Structures are given as C-alpha cells and as structure tokens.
C-alpha cells in the first residue's frame, strides 16, 4: 500500500471512531469486552503502581483512565484522532486522574516517544486497523524497555474474508485488516517480542455485536416514529452487516483474541 492510501485509511478510521454514529452504537468504549476486559488485560500483564503504561490508539481515553484508577499506574494515551485525544483529556480531568494520565495525538507507526520509555503497553481493537503492522509492532518494541510487557486485544480471522467484507467499511469496522492470531504473533516476534500467551475472547465480540443489533432495532423504531433523522444512512445495510458478523463469529471465521507478550528475551 502506498503512503497516500495508508494515510487515507488512518484518517478514515480515526474520523469514523470520532463520529456520532459510533457514539450511538458503541458509546465511548470502542472495543469488545468493555472495561472488564481492559482490567483483565491489566491483570494478565501484571500492571502495578510504578508502571509507565502506553495505550496505543487509546480512542476516547476510557481504558487509560480505568487503568490509572484501578492500578494507580501512569498511563499515556496516543490516538490518531484529535477529537478523541481532546475527549480523553476531558475524561481524565472529570474523573480526577489528570495527574496520572497524559494524552497526545500521533501515529502508531511512528510513536513520538523515546526508546524504552514505557514498562507496559496496551492496544485494544486497533492493531488490526494499522496498515503497516510490522512498523507498528517495531515501534511498540522500541518504546518498551527490555522486559516490558505487551497486552493486545484484537480482531482476528481464521483465513481470507468473504468478498463482501473486503471493503473500506470492513477496514473501519476492524475486520478487513485483521489477521490470524498466528500472523499477529509472527509479526510481533519478528519485531522483538517473546513469551506469548493467547486467550480466545470471541464471546466478548459476540456480545458487542448483539448489543449493536439491539441498538439498531431501537434506532429503527425511533426513525419510524419520526423521533430521529438519520439523513441518508442506510440502516438495512447496518443490519445486514451485523447479521453477517454474527454468522462469521459463530462459524469461527472472525474472532477476538488477547495476546500478551514480553519485550526482548
Ligand atoms: C476501534 S477504536 C479503539 C479505541 C480504543 N483503543 C478503545 O478500545 O476504546 C480504534 C482506534 O484506533 C485509532 N487509530 C487508527 N489508526 C491509528 C494510528 N495509525 N495511530 C494511532 N491511532 C490510530 C482510531 O482513531 C481509533 O480511536
């Protein structure tokens, strides 16, 4: 993929996740499993008070704030979207953890931090959207100190996707850029990570899609009653995609996986 195409995908993805539409269907927590899974990741990688943690592609900051509140660690969040970063800063102030958090705009494929600046790094439902996953993995390894811990949760696939999902909408929805768990591990291993543990979190994805389907029905009702105007948004396409997603998750074609690893040997 050329640089312009790659940049377009990042802008499109960030803009999509800043949109009102996403807010209606997902709220401020933009990954399956919600904050319970975020906290589980924190436990799996053994976060503690002294850790300097980086959340790559932090969205609106819900996970970073939750980790700071739960583990007392210092969390820096980075996201491509300026509005997401502003929302994260406001959330941290509102929740009284501004002193334990910092947020900045930036690109996962060129992290604006020094080598070895962090003890731990998380990235939720985002690695799959990065066009150059190897560069992103190398950057993650660079900013972690030797022995630092990585906790990723992400969309995974078991093989090639059906053609109807290989579209830009698929990219944005975190599906078309997803790889198999083995491919993610291979990319991370080449970038310098070791000691992998994997957990299947497919049930969290199914719950999220079920929740979106329930909300789609609610939105359809509100439109039908004239209480909501969605301009030219095609709700039936959303319902079709959600039905397809359930099918693909149940058939094991699409999943959600937690990958924990260590930086260096
Ligand atoms: C599915 S959302 C997940 C957000 C957050 N991790 C969460 O779980 O709530 C994907 C996020 O990736 C961000 N993103 C996409 N490409 C990025 C990049 N190259 N660098 C940094 N952030 C990126 C988007 O702006 C969006 O906030």
């Amino acid at each position: 993929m050329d640089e312009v195409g790659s940049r377009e995908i990042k802008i499109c993805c960030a803009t999509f996740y800043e949109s009102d539409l996403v807010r209606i269907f997902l709220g401020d927590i933009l990954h399956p499993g919600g904050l319970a899974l975020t906290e589980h990741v924190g436990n799996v990688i053994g976060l503690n008070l002294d850790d300097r943690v980086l959340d790559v592609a932090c969205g609106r900051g819900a996970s970073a704030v939750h980790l700071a509140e739960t583990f007392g660690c210092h969390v820096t969040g980075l996201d491509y979207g300026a509005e997401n970063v502003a929302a994260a800063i406001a959330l941290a102030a509102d929740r009284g953890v501004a002193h334990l958090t910092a947020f900045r705009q930036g690109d996962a494929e060129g992290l604006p931090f020094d080598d070895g600046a962090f003890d731990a790094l998380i990235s939720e439902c985002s690695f799959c959207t990065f066009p150059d996953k190897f560069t992103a993995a190398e950057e993650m390894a660079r900013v972690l100190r030797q022995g630092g811990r990585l906790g990723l949760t992400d969309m995974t696939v078991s093989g090639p996707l059906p053609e109807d999902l290989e579209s830009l909408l698929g990219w944005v929805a975190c599906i078309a850029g997803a790889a198999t768990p083995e491919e993610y591990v291979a990319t991370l291993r080449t970038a310098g990570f070791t000691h992998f543990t994997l957990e299947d979190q497919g049930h969290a994805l199914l719950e999220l899609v079920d929740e979106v389907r329930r909300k789609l029905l609610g939105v359809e009702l509100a439109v039908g009653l004239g209480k909501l105007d969605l301009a030219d948004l095609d709700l039936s396409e959303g319902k079709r995609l959600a039905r397809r997603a359930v099918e693909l998750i149940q058939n094991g074609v699409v999943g959600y996986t937690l990958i924990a690893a260590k930086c260096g040997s």
Side-chain angles (χ1 to χ4, degrees):
M1 185 183 306
D2 64 18
E3 206 175 302
V4 176
S6 153
R7 194 163 166 268
E8 263 172 22
I9 283 179
K10 290 172 197 170
I11 293 172
C12 180
C13 179
T15 308
F16 177 74
Y17 283 109
E18 287 173 339
S19 66
D20 289 343
L21 189 64
V22 167
R23 203 73 35 72
I24 291 173
F25 288 106
L26 296 181
D28 282 342
I29 302 165
L30 309 174
H31 63 266
L35 295 178
L37 183 54
T38 303
E39 193 169 324
H40 176 62
V41 174
N43 283 317
V44 168
I45 63 172
L47 290 186
N48 63 59
L49 210 65
D50 302 322
D51 281 328
R52 301 157 300 164
V53 183
L54 177 62
D55 181 359
V56 174
C58 65
R60 300 173 69 80
S63 296
V65 164
H66 187 69
L67 292 178
E69 285 174 341
T70 307
F71 296 97
C73 49
H74 189 280
V75 189
T76 301
L78 171 128
D79 200 273
Y80 204 79
E83 277 182 35
N84 279 342
V85 171
I89 292 169
L91 178 69
D94 190 47
R95 298 275 281 273
V97 289
H99 61 298
L100 282 178
T101 54
F103 295 95
R104 65 185 287 181
Q105 192 180 7
D107 187 348
E109 294 172 16
L111 293 172
F113 305 109
D114 291 340
D115 297 0
F118 297 97
D119 305 296
L121 187 152
I122 69 154
S123 190
E124 298 171 297
C125 202
S126 300
F127 196 68
C128 60
T129 70
F130 304 152
D132 184 347
K133 292 178 179 45
F134 179 65
T135 299
E138 269 191 329
E139 280 294 273
M140 290 175 177
R142 181 184 65 75
V143 301
L144 273 173
R145 66 164 169 78
Q146 282 295 303
R149 295 98 70 207
L150 172 73
L152 278 185
T153 59
D154 224 317
M155 300 289 304
T156 45
V157 292
S158 59
L161 280 175
E163 260 177 31
D164 61 331
L165 290 172
E166 290 275 7
S167 62
L168 190 63
L169 182 61
W171 262 105
V172 165
C174 286
I175 297 178
T180 65
E182 295 74 23
E183 283 167 333
Y184 284 141
V185 167
T187 303
L188 292 165
R189 196 186 297 284
T190 310
F193 288 97
T194 58
H195 296 79
F196 291 92
T197 51
L198 275 71
E199 273 181 24
D200 179 5
Q201 294 286 342
H203 58 280
L205 182 59
L206 205 49
E207 280 161 23
L208 182 86
V209 175
D210 274 345
E211 178 64 25
V212 168
R213 290 180 83 187
R214 273 195 294 278
K215 286 187 180 159
L216 272 166
L217 292 178
V219 166
E220 193 172 40
L221 191 64
V223 170
L225 293 173
K227 293 190 171 165
L228 191 64
D229 179 10
L230 291 180
D232 54 359
L233 184 76
D234 184 0
L235 270 185
S236 57
E237 178 64 4
K239 280 164 65 183
R240 188 189 72 80
L241 271 175
R243 266 197 313 273
R244 280 291 277 140
V246 170
E247 252 171 55
L248 294 170
I249 298 164
Q250 285 173 338
N251 296 341
V253 177
V254 175
Y256 201 69
T257 305
L258 188 165
I259 302 177
K262 197 173 130 186
C263 183
S265 45

